Amino acid sequence: MTTFAAGTALESKLDMQNRLFAALSAMFGKEVPLYDRALLVNKACNETVCGLLSRLHVGFAMSGEELERTSGERHGAIRIGRPDEYRWIGRLFGCFAMEPHNFYDMTNVGSKSQPIIATAFRSVHRPEHRVFSSVLMTDYFDPATKARIEALLAKRTVFSDRAKELIEKSERQGGLGREDGEALIKECTDRIFKWTGKARDHALYKELSAAGFKIAADIACFQSHHLNHLTPNTFCMDLYTAAMKHCLGEVDAAWFGARARTVLARLMKQADHDFMKLHFKHVPLEEIARYRAGSVSSADVAAAAGALVRRFAGSEFALAELKHAGFKDFTEGPSEDTPVLLRQDAYKALTEPVEFAEVDGSVVQSTHTARFGEIEERFYACTPAGRAMYDACLAEADAAREKDPGLPKRDMAAYEALYARPFAAFPKTLPELISAKLVYARYVATPKGIAAGKSGALPTTDLMELVRGGFVDYEGLRYEDFLPVSAAGIFASNLQQYGTKSTAAVKPTYTQAQLEEILGKRIVDSTTMYARFEAESKLETYRSLGLIERVSAVELRELEAAVGGA
């Protein structure tokens, strides 16, 4: 507890945020048993990876509690119908130190377009959790459909008077005490984000779905902002996806064992100190620097893969016995050898029973397919140049895949080679990515560097040269945001619907300013923030090393502009 108001201790908003997402995860696990089992699969995969990493980096160890913390980050997604509801959502997340980051126009992603615009709520610092929050743009539709949707949405009340009272109280006093914080979290799990299985206007639901607007049907007809996924972290995407396909009964133990050996051997070649800094953010840089080089043999990899095969024979991993729709055929994002932005995958959306209450008092028993099980592995945040390069590579890779969409199922090795080819131009290591100005990094002077600076023994202001000399440590900044095309690909593959055209006379154009007006607050530009964090760290490092006077005037102006620009 950190601050006080009227004699009441206020809780840390970040602590509240962590409790909120733990509560949401528990809620979602009760609603969707497959989610809880998928978490077990991910835990087993992450434990296997950590076991091998402890051999590769002598000194690295991960307790069960530390693994839970490192794996405990969650990224959720919600869909909202009315502008006033969206503003309340923004105010709610503000109570948990989460601010809107980036503007996402999902109406403008080609064949994967949907009638929504969005932002992502997360903390600026320590962004362990995030929620992609979409709002339905009813003017995307013809006047008659727009009127029907808005009339239906007008009848619902998602935020109770008590929830609004707590949000306003938090805003007035800069936070909430423990009891009020728990009450607001309970509002989230018992009402705002809870799945009820209840909806209204089955006719509108069917019409929107048949016309390709399943997301609009989900938003318009349900009575809450239920989570449609809650995504955990994985340390090895390809191991997890293979494990899920095996546990869901799509591939046998022999296939999984061979695939596990392949991806774990590949990972051991890639998992350098930079990988450790990226995936284990809670471990101090100086501790990682002390890890000694070990080795992992092919026999070690085979033993780890074999142990995982045996482990997945346990009854708790019999996911095929649960209601499911299978796993996606391929992973979204960059090729597996290109550590930028993020890779994401998912088990497909479940078809769940829904009860529609009609205006005449009758009830229609139906089904709804929306909630799916996403997984992510995050990599380095790209500069604008890096993002442009990524977008070009992705377009080429997607085009190559679309020529033979069945290849991932027939021959995974051939598919990976095909998909990686367009990304060959991308550097594969962090120093190379930094040198090419494709990703952002954070720097810090080491004790050796500070001592050398005091004695005037530092030969250069080149930070990467100083890194090689042990005078500076560094880490790549992790990407904490979303990829619209990949997210749209997840939506499309889960809903089996690709891109729906506007039915308005003229397709509307949407802007960040429009969403900011709905929210009543500015949206943070994450690229500007990544640039700021890098610039601040460079300036502080130069000062700590006594080099600030030797930095060129041009570079200093650029760094100060990056800090000021955010």
Side-chain angles (χ1 to χ4, degrees), residues 432-492:
E432 292 171 326
L433 287 163
I434 291 172
S435 295
K437 298 187 180 345
L438 298 175
V439 302
Y440 293 106
R442 181 178 73 88
Y443 303 87
V444 61
T446 64
K448 176 183 175 181
I450 293 171
K454 287 178 180 177
S455 65
L458 293 173
T460 179
T461 60
D462 184 312
L463 288 175
M464 290 309 291
E465 187 65 34
L466 293 169
V467 165
R468 287 187 283 273
F471 304 113
V472 171
D473 205 348
Y474 77 120
E475 62 180 327
L477 292 182
R478 192 177 72 166
Y479 186 66
E480 303 292 358
D481 298 288
F482 291 85
L483 297 178
V485 173
S486 291
I490 293 275
F491 288 165

Side-chain angles (χ1 to χ4, degrees), residues 53-127:
L53 289 175
S54 68
R55 290 173 173 266
L56 189 65
H57 297 282
V58 179
F60 170 71
M62 186 69 50
S63 69
E65 183 179 340
E66 288 173 323
L67 182 63
E68 186 65 30
R69 175 182 171 186
T70 306
S71 304
E73 298 181 14
R74 294 291 183 270
H75 135 214
I78 55 174
R79 300 163 182 164
I80 300 155
R82 301 197 315 253
D84 64 303
E85 292 173 336
Y86 202 80
R87 181 173 288 215
W88 277 111
I89 282 289
R91 295 173 69 181
L92 170 69
F93 284 131
C95 299
F96 298 93
M98 300 171 72
E99 296 299 322
H101 281 68
N102 296 348
F103 170 67
Y104 300 96
D105 182 0
M106 305 302 287
T107 71
N108 195 31
V109 287
S111 65
K112 300 171 184 176
S113 296
Q114 297 290 346
I116 52 178
I117 59 176
T119 190
F121 291 92
R122 65 169 174 87
S123 297
V124 175
H125 299 280
R126 288 177 56 194

Side-chain angles (χ1 to χ4, degrees), residues 137-433:
M137 305 311 293
T138 56
D139 61 350
Y140 196 83
F141 299 91
D142 60 87
T145 304
K146 176 178 182 290
R148 289 178 67 190
I149 292 172
E150 289 180 348
L152 188 59
L153 286 169
K155 297 177 182 178
R156 75 181 189 184
T157 303
V158 176
F159 283 82
S160 69
D161 290 341
R162 176 60 172 153
K164 292 178 179 179
E165 173 191 319
L166 288 166
I167 292 168
E168 289 169 340
K169 185 175 183 179
S170 178
E171 291 172 339
R172 280 196 313 272
Q173 63 185 25
L176 294 172
R178 179 80 183 196
E179 185 177 340
D180 285 340
E182 287 301 309
L184 187 55
I185 290 171
K186 196 169 189 300
E187 287 285 332
C188 292
T189 56
D190 288 2
R191 184 186 183 102
I192 299 169
F193 301 125
K194 184 178 179 62
W195 170 261
T196 64
K198 297 186 183 298
R200 291 176 295 193
D201 199 338
H202 191 237
L204 177 61
Y205 175 85
K206 286 195 302 180
E207 289 174 32
L208 289 171
S209 297
F213 294 109
K214 283 188 177 180
I215 285 179
D218 176 277
I219 297 171
C221 298
F222 284 81
Q223 298 179 44
S224 71
H225 305 320
H226 52 256
L227 291 166
N228 57 68
H229 65 82
L230 197 60
T231 305
N233 242 9
T234 190
F235 301 154
C236 182
M237 175 63 73
D238 295 324
L239 181 65
Y240 172 83
T241 58
M244 282 296 291
K245 290 174 182 178
H246 172 50
C247 293
L248 288 169
E250 296 182 7
V251 298
D252 62 20
W255 187 95
F256 170 66
R259 178 67 175 162
R261 290 192 295 275
T262 295
V263 300
L264 287 171
R266 191 162 64 195
L267 179 65
M268 291 303 103
K269 293 179 181 177
Q270 298 168 342
D272 56 11
H273 275 69
D274 292 326
F275 175 95
M276 302 298 287
K277 296 171 187 176
L278 178 70
H279 285 76
F280 302 101
K281 304 295 289 182
H282 70 286
V283 181
L285 295 183
E286 57 270 22
E287 182 176 328
I288 293 175
R290 289 195 294 267
Y291 294 159
R292 303 187 311 279
S295 64
V296 174
S297 68
S298 58
D300 294 331
V301 168
L308 206 50
V309 170
R310 292 189 294 275
R311 186 171 180 180
F312 286 147
S315 59
E316 68 270 34
F317 296 106
L319 274 61
E321 296 176 1
L322 299 176
K323 186 177 181 181
H324 71 89
F327 206 82
K328 275 178 87 288
D329 293 337
F330 57 83
T331 299
E332 305 282 348
S335 58
E336 60 80 23
D337 62 347
T338 307
V340 299
L341 302 171
L342 63 86
R343 299 180 73 212
Q344 59 192 136
D345 217 323
Y347 64 72
K348 295 179 182 177
L350 304 176
T351 297
E352 300 174 275
V354 176
E355 186 177 273
F356 282 83
E358 301 298 272
V359 174
D360 63 4
S362 64
V363 172
V364 176
Q365 301 296 334
S366 187
T367 59
H368 180 58
T369 304
R371 299 197 295 170
F372 54 93
E374 193 176 72
I375 188 82
E376 288 180 342
E377 185 176 7
R378 291 182 172 270
F379 299 100
Y380 301 119
C382 283
T383 63
R387 186 55 181 271
M389 187 173 179
Y390 168 80
D391 289 343
C393 292
L394 181 69
E396 187 179 341
D398 280 351
R401 178 178 57 226
E402 288 167 9
K403 290 179 181 177
D404 188 358
L407 184 59
K409 278 192 172 182
R410 293 197 320 272
D411 189 336
M412 179 56 75
Y415 167 70
E416 286 183 320
L418 174 77
Y419 194 79
R421 205 165 294 132
F423 287 94
F426 245 108
K428 307 305 181 187
T429 69
L430 181 55
E432 292 171 326
L433 287 163

